[in-house]
Amino acid sequence: MEIIVCDRNAAGHFAEIRRQLRDVGGMIPVNDIWIAACCAANNKTLATRDVDFRRVPGLSVETWQLTSPIIFTLSQIPRAPASTS
């Protein structure tokens, strides 16, 4: 797995993607725009289950789906420590 950075190039892509989405009235969350911008700046395909990314013009997106549901039993869910007050 390669870690990509958020640099000036990504910031330029962020501004362009945000403008394009605003112009067509299809905004997505700001954090998603940053993710899209970092992928676009590095010519990477984004693998995601979030369909919002399909609205980003020119972004290469690979839609992933779960093959089986994630099921937890109550004993597997972390609990907060009991209060001592």
Side-chain angles (χ1 to χ4, degrees), residues 50 57 66 79:
D50 187 339
L66 291 176
R79 300 184 193 284

Side-chain angles (χ1 to χ4, degrees), residues 29-71:
V30 171
N31 57 316
D32 286 350
I33 299 173
W34 278 113
I35 293 167
C38 288
C39 289
N42 290 277
N43 297 314
K44 300 295 181 185
T45 298
L46 176 61
T48 182
R49 295 184 311 156
D50 187 339
V51 296
D52 282 347
F53 288 104
R54 293 184 198 162
R55 289 191 251 165
V56 178
L59 182 66
S60 175
V61 178
E62 183 176 318
T63 304
W64 284 18
Q65 295 184 5
L66 291 176
T67 56
S68 61
I70 299 173
I71 300 173

